[in-house]
Amino acid sequence: AEATGQVASGDLDVAIGLKRDDEIGLLINSFNHMVRELKESKESIHAAYTESDRRRLCMENILENIQSGVISLDADGNIITINSSACAILNVSSEDVMGKNYKEILSAIQSDSLQQMIRGIKLKTLRTVEKEVWATIRGKRTMLRVSIMGLRDSAEQKALAWQEVARRIAHEVKNPLTPIKLSTERMLKKWQQKDEDFPQVFEGSMRTIIREVDSLRRLVDEFSRFEKMPEINKSPTALAGIIDGVVNLYRDYKGFSITVSLPENMPLIDMDGEQCKRVLINLFENAIQAMNTGGNIEVTVDLDAAANRVFIDVADNGPGIREEDKEKLFLPYFSTKKEGTGLGLAIANRIIREHGGSLRVRDNVPRGTVFTIEMPIKEG
């Protein structure tokens, strides 16, 4: 009776050591056997729960750190998961839509193409349907790349998430390679021309290479631990130094002119200097590739202290961007270049958004493109 009370209170390490050959002995043996099975079942359930929770956390971490919006539905069409990217794209909060039918979200999206796409789906035979559609969400017209997949098991869902992670990793690893290549080319050019300032250029270029190799090592270390894209680490930073470091990488490009306009007494900006440098390098690379054989790049910085905002314009006088492409520029996988990954501007946009800012594009006058980075000057 005492042992039964202990088991009832949750103690499954109980065992009655009394040995008897009569009916009481049989009862004792059955009792001990029952307690052992209870304990084994409890441990098995705990292990299964721990593994399930680990997998859930792993999947949630993956979904929260990819650019694409991901929504999963149960068999009745009710929303069971929605990541932060989907909330941002659709301008909703997860609390408002979790557990509700997908038609409630659909009602806020004005798109005949999307409606037709969904009406044509047959759940029993659905594997993957993908299409680009124009949509108006909360009054804003945008291009969506919609992919609808019927999940028969968890492998397909993991494959979908890891496919984007792998592509983003490949793109992010390439970022430090650009300044390494430019610094090497600059040293080689100075050496071949026997320029007098070669020792200074050599030292500066080697420092750049060492710094970028260290950055590459950090990236590899982070990704090897299956973590997300490098976290934003803000600190008071001299924006002029970041811009100057990027401009110096491209100064020796034949046929290209670079000018920088900065206000006097620039304050320090709360930013991740390395990440913002990657954004500027991406914009410079796009401008140079667009202008091809030569052109002008103008970097203009404006401050609005009252609004706590800094504006950085990177303008070129290239061929410009087609109006129909502007809405797609910041979508993952969209690229106007044949060999482009379509991730450069998507990642740049995310970096600026994580700084509490925005990245926009407009036409330059009379010709070309202007990308505008807007960020807070100070945290909060």
Side-chain angles (χ1 to χ4, degrees), residues 149-363:
M149 176 182 291
L151 299 177
R152 300 296 180 265
D153 53 49
S154 61
E156 284 184 281
Q157 191 172 5
K158 289 179 181 178
L160 177 66
W162 279 112
Q163 182 181 33
E164 180 168 338
V165 172
R167 292 189 67 165
R168 290 183 62 205
I169 288 173
H171 184 276
E172 194 67 14
V173 166
K174 288 179 183 177
N175 274 330
L177 299 181
T178 298
I180 290 174
K181 179 175 181 288
L182 293 175
S183 296
T184 306
E185 289 175 344
R186 191 180 185 198
M187 282 192 297
L188 182 60
K189 183 178 180 181
K190 292 288 184 180
W191 172 259
Q192 290 173 339
Q193 295 177 348
K194 307 298 182 186
D195 289 346
E196 293 182 359
D197 64 343
F198 174 75
Q200 292 84 2
V201 172
F202 177 82
E203 182 179 358
S205 297
M206 290 306 295
R207 290 185 185 279
T208 298
I209 291 171
I210 291 170
R211 184 175 61 250
E212 295 303 328
V213 168
D214 286 340
S215 174
L216 188 59
R217 183 182 294 112
R218 286 195 300 272
L219 284 169
V220 173
D221 287 344
E222 290 195 51
F223 290 133
S224 68
R225 293 194 299 268
F226 300 102
E227 293 181 350
K228 62 180 180 179
M229 300 293 289
E231 291 187 5
I232 299 296
N233 295 310
K234 298 180 187 177
S235 62
T237 303
L239 178 58
I242 299 296
I243 294 174
D244 191 53
V246 174
V247 169
N248 282 335
L249 295 172
Y250 297 90
R251 282 209 185 277
D252 292 328
Y253 264 46
K254 186 177 181 181
F256 291 93
S257 169
I258 303 174
T259 59
V260 178
S261 176
L262 290 164
E264 295 182 1
N265 303 318
M266 273 283 295
L268 297 179
I269 310 295
D270 279 327
M271 66 186 336
D272 185 323
E274 284 298 309
Q275 296 280 45
C276 290
K277 183 181 72 174
R278 290 191 181 116
V279 173
L280 289 173
I281 286 175
N282 185 275
L283 299 181
F284 269 62
E285 283 289 302
N286 287 345
I288 287 173
Q289 290 179 22
M291 293 185 289
N292 195 9
T293 57
N296 302 321
I297 298 177
E298 296 181 2
V299 181
T300 306
V301 178
D302 288 312
L303 294 173
D304 187 341
N308 189 38
R309 310 300 281 181
V310 60
F311 301 87
I312 309 165
D313 284 353
V314 179
D316 65 59
N317 62 343
I321 298 171
R322 297 186 306 171
E323 196 63 35
E324 58 267 32
D325 288 342
K326 288 177 184 174
E327 291 280 353
K328 308 177 191 177
L329 276 183
F330 304 114
L331 292 176
Y333 312 142
F334 176 79
S335 177
T336 57
K337 297 173 284 190
K338 289 183 179 180
E339 297 180 357
T341 62
L343 289 172
L345 286 174
I347 292 174
N349 186 43
R350 175 171 179 173
I351 289 172
I352 300 303
R353 280 198 293 113
E354 289 185 358
H355 277 78
S358 63
L359 179 60
R360 301 186 297 272
V361 63
R362 69 177 190 274
D363 291 335

Side-chain angles (χ1 to χ4, degrees), residues 115-132:
Q115 298 282 356
Q116 292 173 6
M117 178 182 179
I118 292 174
R119 280 198 296 268
I121 290 174
K122 296 180 180 179
L123 290 177
K124 290 184 178 179
T125 58
L126 174 64
R127 298 304 293 175
T128 301
V129 180
E130 188 168 340
K131 188 177 180 181
E132 288 186 350

Side-chain angles (χ1 to χ4, degrees), residues 4 7 29-39:
T4 302
V7 171
N29 290 338
S30 297
F31 178 86
N32 287 340
H33 180 70
M34 177 194 71
V35 174
R36 283 196 303 271
E37 286 194 334
L38 283 173
K39 184 177 181 181

